Amino acid sequence: MYESELTKFMREFLKQHPEEVESQRKGRAIWWDKTAADRSPAPSMRHAPKAGGNEHTFEPAGGAEHSFGVDDNTHLKPKA
């Protein structure tokens, strides 16, 4: 099984310095291992942005059927 030089070094270093493992645990506890009581309270959602989707309405993009307005020359139909 392949093991990089860095991994080999770290394994050997931690064997020689077991106090580093405890230091790692303390460091992790400072930043990550927290109970709900230790964490800061969740911010109030009173000023949170509202869920959206309807703020903007856009004209559909597409072919010629969307490029022109209603034909206003309907009164000029040729006589059949």
Side-chain angles (χ1 to χ4, degrees):
M1 186 171 122
Y2 173 77
E3 196 168 72
S4 71
E5 294 296 319
L6 180 61
T7 303
K8 290 176 188 175
F9 169 78
M10 289 304 296
R11 288 188 198 283
E12 188 61 35
F13 178 81
L14 292 176
K15 278 184 201 174
Q16 294 172 1
H17 303 279
E19 71 278 0
E20 291 298 322
V21 176
E22 184 58 31
S23 174
Q24 287 177 341
R25 281 194 197 105
K26 287 180 183 176
R28 178 184 168 96
I30 290 171
W31 293 103
W32 300 106
D33 298 336
K34 298 193 179 290
T35 64
D38 294 338
R39 294 186 187 110
S40 60
S44 168
M45 295 304 288
R46 187 174 66 209
H47 298 294
K50 304 289 186 259
N54 296 326
E55 292 89 0
H56 305 285
T57 54
F58 297 99
E59 293 296 322
E65 68 275 7
H66 298 293
S67 300
F68 302 101
V70 176
D71 186 6
D72 60 351
N73 295 326
T74 55
H75 66 284
L76 299 175
K77 286 186 180 182
K79 297 182 182 187

